[in-house]
Amino acid sequence: MSVPENMEFFIDPARCIGCQACVQACSECDTHKGHSMIHLEYVDRAHSVQTAPVVCMHCDSPTCAEVCPADAIKRTEDGVVQTARKPRCIACNNCVLACPFGVPKMKTDFKLMMKCDMCYDRTSAGKKPMCATVCPSQALFFGTREQIERLRPRSTPNNRFWFGAQTITTKVNMMVPKTAQAQYIDVTAAMSERAIGKEITLNILTDAMYTGEEE
Amino acid sequence: MNKETIKATAWGLSVALVVAALILAGSRNLSHFDAALVGYTFAVLFAAFAITYRYAMWLQRPPTAIYWKRGWQVFFRPRHLALNIVNWFKRVTSEFVLNAFIFRRGRARGGAHSLIMWGCVIATAITFPLTFGWIHFETLPGDLTWYRAYVFGFPAFSFPLESWMAFLIFHGLVWASFLVIAGVMLAMRRRMRDHGAVALQQFGEDFLPLILLFAVSITGLMLTASYTWMKGYAYDFLAILHAITVIFTLLWLPFGKFFHIFQRPAQLGVSFYKDVGAREELALCRRCGQAFTSRLHVEDLIQVEKQLGYKYEMEDGHYQWICPRCRRAMLVLAQGRLWEGPSSTDATEAGVSSVMPQSSFGNPQTDFGPLGEEDRTNFHP
């Protein structure tokens, strides 16, 4: 069994409302029962409501697998980078530190790296991954390209990422605005970027102050 | 043939020759060698070559090579050698003798693995020395009721034929097969019932080894049943059938899941590498300023990535110096940047610290955010 070719994963962090439904649902997945593989973080909680939902992007040339000394990470023919094979993983942490997206997790007491495998038990049987099934804002969406184009007319999927001088292409797509006409998503250029929403917070305070003065 | 292949072939041939020499020496120039076991012997020699070949190829991969080198370096550092030796014994006991980490993955999984492992260890400890002629038995001169065991041709110990000791020794492979069969049954049960396992398992990788272990054990038991209760019925056929299963298993050792037996000890080297990393200088994230791993590990990874052809160099350093948590934040910030355009001011221009704020877990509970203490360091508090 493999993931059907026409079914793709589309992620749009800008739509994430931080509800954690994906975190809870992820831990229900049969391939890693009880452990959530999705990362959901507040980017800068003091100043912004922006959240960062990150699943495995399933790279075409996965750095995690290349730097694995035990050859424990395999990419199946359908492009899914599987979690570490249990007999082989020696828990060295290389993959955790090398993944450009910061995805793998280390379960040291199991001597095992664990990561999102796109709910392979479900997607290889034609179902949606747990996170995409429960995401209320569809920040995590699993479906066909036609469906996403119909649902998000202002966005377009992009699967090319820049990290310094390295381009990484992935099976998972990130939704970006059509108007940006982006050939790639430059991750390292966002090094000094600030969370969306800080200015809004300040504006609220400033507006309130001005309103008070007028009265 | 490239350089790596030549090196691996040379290692493989050398080890196979050493095993052959040990067979000659241990059997006293084949005088105690059982000619009926010649098929097994050649299978073992092939397995020795192929396992060493694969191991040598594996060790030459950039990430493995650096861990191999560093593992020995950190173990033999004079300042920590005594502690390392103590830890080595502790870890071998906990991880390999008791399989503690596999039991933590699941009791059924741990039970299955322990049964299979100890069954195979006992069987290997009995059959290999017997096959090579390293151990043989003789009756005591003038007393046909006593046996003496010889190890490498030297007398080791004696025991009466009609004793519990003799019964236990001569049925060693029976006890081993009981353990293996029980373990295989538990493993098969899990593979047929666990939805996660069903989705990921492959015949060659996951089922074939179990089938082979079962076949070896059950045909071995049939031999015992044949000569004990059935007056040797079909013994010759069963002996050939058993030989086929064992030889196929030996030939499969280098290729499939069985190879983890030889890879797994690398786990010990990794643990000493991590010990040193924790004691020495830490790597600070170039974005949030927090420590997330050892400096040694980051520098080694940069070297490995370069050897593998990755170009994660940035204008201001290397991407490997960014912690995993900041990488995740940067990913979504990069997407936000496309929607909203770059921030009007960056941190420096805004007059705040040049170190960017840390992101924080939506759910910091173990297993929902980090999976344990090491993850808490990787993703820092």
Side-chain angles (χ1 to χ4, degrees), chain A residues 165-185:
Chain A
Q166 181 66 46
T167 308
I168 296 286
T169 54
T170 60
K171 181 177 173 68
V172 173
N173 301 282
M174 184 166 270
M175 301 307 290
V176 297
K178 273 184 180 166
T179 49
Q181 295 185 326
Q183 298 295 308
Y184 51 83
I185 298 163

Side-chain angles (χ1 to χ4, degrees), chain A residues 12-14 20 23-24 27 30-31 33-37 39-44 50 52 54 61-63 65-70 82 85-94 96-102 104-111 114 120-121 154-155 161 163-166 168 174-177 185-196, chain B residues 54 58 61 63-64 67 95 101 104-105 109 194-196 199-200 202 205-206 257 260 263-264 266-267 270 274 286-287 292-293 297 301 304-305 308-314 319-320 322 324-325 327-347 350 356-363 367-369 371 374-375 378-379:
Chain A
D12 188 349
Q20 296 201 40
V23 175
Q24 300 295 334
S27 68
D30 271 328
T31 56
K33 278 187 285 279
H35 315 288
S36 190
M37 294 296 111
H39 296 270
L40 179 64
E41 284 150 349
Y42 300 105
V43 178
D44 181 5
Q50 187 175 16
V54 177
S61 171
T63 312
E66 293 281 348
V67 300
C68 174
Q82 300 289 351
R85 291 198 67 88
K86 291 181 181 70
R88 291 195 185 176
C89 181
I90 51 174
C92 71
N93 221 25
N94 265 11
V96 177
L97 298 174
C99 169
F101 299 99
K105 294 184 175 186
M106 180 51 61
K107 186 78 176 153
T108 316
D109 51 343
F110 286 10
K111 300 281 176 211
M114 298 173 81
Y120 206 67
D121 58 322
R154 292 173 58 216
S155 314
F161 299 85
F163 301 92
Q166 181 66 46
I168 296 286
M174 184 166 270
M175 301 307 290
V176 297
I185 298 163
D186 191 346
V187 178
T188 38
M191 179 94 150
S192 306
E193 201 68 27
R194 301 162 78 193
I196 298 168
Chain B
R54 186 172 171 193
W58 176 59
R61 291 185 62 234
T64 325
Y67 255 120
E95 292 169 19
F101 69 99
R104 284 195 286 266
R105 291 177 184 179
R109 184 191 286 274
D194 185 303
H195 292 175
L200 299 172
Q202 297 161 355
E205 186 73 15
D206 300 306
K257 193 176 201 165
H260 86 274
Q263 279 184 317
R264 188 41 82 172
Q267 186 172 311
V270 163
K274 285 184 180 178
R286 297 288 157 88
R287 182 174 177 274
F292 63 101
T293 186
H297 204 161
L301 265 176
V304 167
E305 285 168 3
L308 291 168
Y310 284 106
K311 294 171 184 157
Y312 282 114
E313 289 82 6
M314 304 185 296
Y319 187 64
Q320 198 56 58
I322 310 289
R325 201 148 93 177
R327 292 178 197 184
R328 297 192 290 268
M330 284 163 63
L331 177 66
V332 300
L333 288 168
Q335 191 233 16
R337 183 182 156 98
L338 289 172
W339 278 104
E340 304 225 336
S343 302
S344 52
T345 52
D346 71 14
M356 298 300 291
Q358 288 182 53
S359 49
S360 50
F361 289 116
N363 186 338
D367 288 331
F368 287 95
L371 295 185
E374 190 170 3
D375 249 6
N378 292 328
F379 307 147

Side-chain angles (χ1 to χ4, degrees), chain B residues 77 79-80 275-283 294-296:
Chain B
R77 276 191 191 178
R79 198 149 52 108
H80 300 122
D275 287 349
V276 166
R279 280 194 292 258
E280 298 187 352
E281 192 182 353
L282 297 174
S294 67
R295 188 183 177 89
L296 176 72

Side-chain angles (χ1 to χ4, degrees), chain B residues 100-375:
Chain B
F101 69 99
I102 307 178
F103 274 100
R104 284 195 286 266
R105 291 177 184 179
R107 274 185 299 177
R109 184 191 286 274
H113 190 272
S114 288
L115 288 166
I116 292 173
M117 184 191 83
W118 281 111
C120 290
V121 166
I122 293 169
T124 308
I126 294 170
T127 47
F128 279 56
L130 282 176
T131 306
F132 298 160
W134 292 349
I135 293 179
H136 73 278
F137 298 95
E138 285 178 13
T139 48
L140 288 185
D143 186 356
L144 294 177
T145 62
W146 275 71
Y147 252 25
R148 176 171 286 161
Y150 289 81
V151 178
F152 267 74
F154 299 104
F157 61 96
S158 308
F159 52 90
L161 272 175
E162 297 295 331
S163 66
W164 276 105
M165 177 82 161
F167 183 77
L168 285 174
I169 288 175
F170 293 142
H171 292 84
L173 290 176
V174 172
W175 318 134
S177 70
F178 285 165
L179 295 179
V180 171
I181 289 170
V184 167
M185 290 294 107
L186 281 175
M188 280 286 192
R189 181 177 185 272
R190 196 183 69 79
R191 295 219 159 269
M192 285 190 266
R193 293 165 64 102
D194 185 303
H195 292 175
V198 168
L200 299 172
Q201 63 205 4
Q202 297 161 355
F203 179 79
E205 186 73 15
D206 300 306
F207 276 107
L208 189 57
L210 293 175
I211 292 169
L212 286 173
L213 289 175
F214 181 77
V216 170
S217 306
I218 207 77
T219 53
L221 280 182
M222 283 177 182
L223 282 171
T224 307
S226 170
Y227 71 70
T228 309
W229 297 302
M230 302 167 76
K231 298 177 181 171
Y233 177 76
Y235 190 88
D236 290 345
F237 167 74
L238 290 172
I240 291 169
L241 190 64
H242 184 63
I244 290 170
T245 60
V246 174
I247 289 168
F248 191 84
T249 305
L250 289 170
L251 299 182
W252 191 246
L253 277 179
F255 301 108
K257 193 176 201 165
F258 290 135
F259 193 67
H260 86 274
I261 300 163
F262 309 99
Q263 279 184 317
R264 188 41 82 172
Q267 186 172 311
L268 289 171
V270 163
S271 64
F272 293 113
Y273 183 84
K274 285 184 180 178
D275 287 349
V276 166
R279 280 194 292 258
E280 298 187 352
E281 192 182 353
L282 297 174
L284 302 181
C285 172
R286 297 288 157 88
R287 182 174 177 274
C288 68
Q290 296 293 310
F292 63 101
T293 186
S294 67
R295 188 183 177 89
L296 176 72
H297 204 161
V298 169
E299 286 172 347
D300 282 348
L301 265 176
I302 290 174
Q303 189 186 328
V304 167
E305 285 168 3
K306 281 182 182 167
Q307 286 173 340
L308 291 168
Y310 284 106
K311 294 171 184 157
Y312 282 114
E313 289 82 6
M314 304 185 296
E315 281 177 16
D316 183 21
H318 194 280
Y319 187 64
Q320 198 56 58
W321 289 105
I322 310 289
C323 73
R325 201 148 93 177
C326 281
R327 292 178 197 184
R328 297 192 290 268
M330 284 163 63
L331 177 66
V332 300
L333 288 168
Q335 191 233 16
R337 183 182 156 98
L338 289 172
W339 278 104
E340 304 225 336
S343 302
S344 52
T345 52
D346 71 14
T348 323
E349 289 164 0
V352 295
S353 164
S354 60
V355 173
M356 298 300 291
Q358 288 182 53
S359 49
S360 50
F361 289 116
N363 186 338
Q365 274 192 74
T366 300
D367 288 331
F368 287 95
L371 295 185
E373 280 312 306
E374 190 170 3
D375 249 6

